[in-house]
Amino acid sequence: MTEHSREELLYLAKLAETAERYDEMIEFVSKFAKMGEDLQTEERNILSVAYKNVVGSRRAAWRVLSSIEQKETNKDNAQNVERVKGYKVKVEEELLKLCNEILSLLDDTLIPKAGNAEAKVFYYKMKGDYFRYISEFASSDPKKEAADKALEAYKQAYEVAQSDLAATHPIRLGLALNFSVFYYEIMQEPQKACEMAKSAFDEAISQLDQVPEGDYKDATLIMQLLRDNLTLWTSDQQEDA
């Protein structure tokens, strides 16, 4: 196959995205990501979109299958339960392979080459996200190991974001959103999740008049998601009280 330049690979990745051929999109993005240079903002975003789509569709499939498995279990249909479990294993294997691919790319190439705080936060957050996705479907020791690694990566991202990125920076806000979800869903620490989400929202709202025009739409969208989560989580805690 012809070797493509970095520009050609970026174009092909965008083409694959437009055609919604995400499995091919990750082939193109992983090739330009391995070229050894720090990625530009557009390249980082394309990389993120590619893996988010291929992994996201399988996470959605896994959740659907888990729901069906529960329904079949409730109906005492043992034969169908086994069929669903077998299918779930296939999806889990695909998920694990894809998550490990991007995690290797992050550890071996992207994080070592990250040239500024924005890139470091972006990649450490991404590392936390993909370990979180593994912890969603893994069980026993692998689940705990993935959760521990996700926590470590999120903490590394959070430390850099707090010191080097503005409270209204979309990457810092996106980190607070995902890190708080991790605390709520994986670590089962609703109080910590609420504190993190509220702190991120309050700090950003106090600096909203300083947001660069190009970041305003993304920043306010993520702030709305933080507020939505806070409303939901606070209501859940009140119901449990």
Side-chain angles (χ1 to χ4, degrees):
M1 185 177 170
T2 312
E3 287 296 317
H4 295 293
S5 69
R6 187 165 165 164
E7 291 73 23
E8 286 171 330
L9 288 166
L10 182 60
Y11 179 77
L12 289 167
K14 289 178 184 174
L15 206 58
E17 180 187 8
T18 306
E20 297 184 6
R21 292 174 68 87
Y22 300 112
D23 288 316
E24 287 167 9
M25 189 181 176
I26 62 168
E27 289 178 31
F28 298 130
V29 297
S30 61
K31 281 180 183 173
F32 71 63
K34 288 174 183 171
M35 286 183 165
E37 296 173 41
D38 188 16
L39 301 187
Q40 301 302 310
T41 302
E42 183 185 27
E43 294 170 329
R44 280 203 314 260
N45 291 338
I46 288 281
L47 173 86
S48 176
V49 166
Y51 276 96
K52 190 173 183 179
N53 276 284
V54 291
V55 170
S57 63
R58 287 162 175 86
R59 287 174 73 211
W62 186 87
R63 286 193 290 266
V64 168
L65 292 170
S66 294
S67 174
I68 294 169
E69 181 186 355
Q70 188 58 54
K71 285 173 185 171
E72 295 291 0
T73 301
N74 292 343
K75 289 191 281 187
D76 289 326
N77 195 330
Q79 199 171 30
N80 281 352
V81 168
E82 288 310 306
R83 287 178 183 134
V84 178
K85 279 182 177 174
Y87 202 3
K88 258 178 73 180
V89 167
K90 180 181 186 297
V91 176
E92 287 169 3
E93 286 170 353
E94 289 177 12
L95 268 169
L96 189 60
K97 178 177 177 289
L98 288 162
C99 289
N100 282 335
E101 266 179 33
I102 184 61
L103 288 166
S104 294
L105 195 56
L106 286 162
D107 278 340
D108 299 343
T109 306
L110 299 172
I111 291 173
K113 293 285 181 184
N116 55 51
E118 191 177 287
K120 285 176 186 171
V121 176
F122 188 95
Y123 294 138
Y124 277 122
K125 170 191 167 293
M126 210 171 173
K127 183 175 177 178
D129 289 341
Y130 285 89
F131 273 121
R132 168 162 64 95
Y133 301 155
I134 292 173
S135 72
E136 286 174 347
F137 65 83
S139 54
S140 60
D141 287 349
K143 184 182 187 74
K144 186 183 182 307
E145 186 183 340
D148 288 346
K149 288 182 177 176
L151 179 61
E152 184 185 349
Y154 280 137
K155 280 182 174 176
Q156 286 172 298
Y158 197 72
E159 190 177 317
V160 179
Q162 292 291 105
S163 63
D164 295 341
L165 298 184
T168 53
H169 196 299
I171 293 176
R172 175 168 162 173
L173 284 166
L175 168 64
L177 179 70
N178 289 18
F179 198 178
S180 58
V181 166
F182 169 77
Y183 270 123
Y184 192 86
E185 293 183 352
I186 305 298
M187 301 298 284
Q188 303 284 298
E189 295 184 36
Q191 189 65 36
K192 205 155 192 173
C194 288
E195 285 168 7
M196 179 172 284
K198 187 176 187 309
S199 170
F201 182 85
D202 289 347
E203 285 178 43
I205 211 92
S206 70
Q207 298 177 29
L208 207 52
D209 57 340
Q210 301 164 32
V211 183
E213 193 178 335
D215 287 346
Y216 190 85
K217 186 180 175 184
D218 286 343
T220 51
L221 175 66
I222 300 167
M223 288 169 70
Q224 183 62 54
L225 294 171
L226 282 164
R227 190 159 65 175
D228 290 346
N229 281 353
L230 265 172
T231 304
L232 178 67
W233 296 342
T234 307
S235 139
D236 284 351
Q237 281 184 283
Q238 285 169 349
E239 283 174 17
D240 292 342

